[in-house]
Amino acid sequence: METVSTNLSFGGTQGVYTHQSTSTGTQMTFAVFVPPQAATDKCPVVWYLSGLTCSHANVMDKGEYRRKAAELGLIIVCPDTSPRGDDLPNDESWQMGQGAGFYVDATQSPWSKNFQMYSYVTQELPTLIAENFPADMTRQGITGHSMGGHGALTIALKNSDTFKSCSAFAPITNPSTAEWSKGALMAYLGADDAKWAEYDAVRLIENGARFPALFVDQGAADNFFEGCNPHALQNVCARTDIALTLRFQEGYDHSYFFISTFMDDHLTWHAERLSL
């Protein structure tokens, strides 16, 4: 692991790092904020997964999480959204390819060689974090935005023994049916619709996956509201014992103005559950 930069912020350290990934076969970049409490104790970890076209830098620059994370004693880990490189496959559409890994392990050529983002986020990067940062890996939460919200929900549902808390900002809740995600699932996973269900929060819940409680904020003025389909998640959770807190925020869109406004609420949600 190599350090790209570190900056003091709210008594903690905001760092950017790179390493050679065995999952993706590429150099990967990620950001970590370590709060001041980590000087004396290991701290719980909250993962933030970014959305389409984004990288680790979007939330680091615009998410406004450091003040609250420093107050609550949370380590914030921000991975990239895909492998990157001139010699890697890509697509002209912003909805797939580099910057749009959808947090899946691709099985189809040419994507399968490098686009192993599920394994990277759930296995390789957590090991690196545990080895290099004062992180209490027995207390992990996960959140994300849009495509990253989809990632947060599906990863939590598939790894409920690892994560103690899960939230999302405007997640793509049912990507098997959304026009802006179906093409990527087809490209990465093939034509078998059953494979898509492994990375679809609504269908995972329909097929028996469970998580104690989910917290979702959705902008009511989001131009991607239909594709996010919060009501699909609301309906499927209503048929289970999953406690869903779903808030529709009037006037808010899909941008980081929306995310930064409600970031404190999400970090507080995670801190309450990670303190148990």
Side-chain angles (χ1 to χ4, degrees), residues 46 90 102 146 159 181 188 214 216:
V46 175
N90 202 3
F102 272 90
S146 192
N159 299 274
S181 49
Y188 294 147
L214 302 172
V216 173

Side-chain angles (χ1 to χ4, degrees), residues 57-276:
N58 296 77
V59 69
M60 186 177 72
D61 294 342
K62 298 183 286 188
E64 300 183 23
Y65 58 79
R66 279 174 289 271
R67 181 190 61 79
K68 196 66 174 179
E71 174 188 323
L72 297 171
L74 299 173
I75 291 175
I76 310 296
V77 180
C78 310
D80 202 348
T81 52
S82 78
R84 300 177 189 269
D86 293 339
D87 57 343
L88 267 63
N90 202 3
D91 192 90
E92 293 182 358
S93 168
W94 58 272
Q95 297 165 320
M96 62 176 292
Q98 295 184 39
F102 272 90
Y103 305 100
V104 307
D105 279 348
T107 59
Q108 304 299 301
S109 180
W111 311 102
S112 57
K113 180 180 178 181
N114 306 107
F115 281 67
Q116 301 294 309
M117 288 302 294
Y118 178 81
S119 290
Y120 177 72
V121 169
T122 62
Q123 299 175 34
E124 183 177 3
L125 190 54
T127 299
L128 195 68
I129 296 299
E131 292 173 348
N132 291 277
F133 297 91
D136 182 352
M137 303 303 281
T138 67
R139 294 186 291 163
Q140 295 186 71
I142 190 165
T143 187
H145 169 233
S146 192
M147 177 186 73
H150 136 79
L153 292 173
T154 56
I155 288 172
L157 286 164
K158 295 169 75 168
N159 299 274
S160 58
D161 55 339
T162 298
F163 296 97
K164 295 183 179 297
S165 58
C166 177
S167 73
F169 300 88
I172 308 173
T173 67
N174 196 190
S176 297
T177 64
E179 291 301 324
W180 60 337
S181 49
K182 286 195 299 183
L185 295 183
M186 171 77 77
Y188 294 147
L189 303 174
D192 184 358
D193 180 71
K195 299 295 185 183
W196 303 6
E198 298 176 17
Y199 298 101
D200 184 309
V202 168
R203 295 176 68 182
L204 282 168
I205 294 170
E206 289 175 341
N207 292 332
R210 294 292 181 267
F211 201 81
L214 302 172
F215 176 30
V216 173
D217 268 321
Q218 173 66 58
D222 190 336
N223 56 324
F224 295 109
F225 188 100
E226 183 176 347
C228 292
N229 200 359
H231 293 299
L233 182 66
Q234 185 178 43
N235 291 338
V236 74
C237 286
R239 301 195 297 270
T240 73
D241 57 354
I242 297 174
L244 172 66
T245 299
L246 174 60
R247 307 192 306 188
F248 295 101
Q249 303 294 357
E250 291 300 324
Y252 283 91
D253 58 17
H254 201 70
S255 72
Y256 269 88
F257 295 107
F258 158 63
I259 297 166
S260 61
T261 299
F262 301 104
M263 180 64 78
D264 282 8
D265 292 351
H266 284 250
L267 294 184
T268 299
W269 164 276
H270 288 281
E272 290 171 350
R273 284 150 185 82
L274 297 179
S275 65
L276 301 177

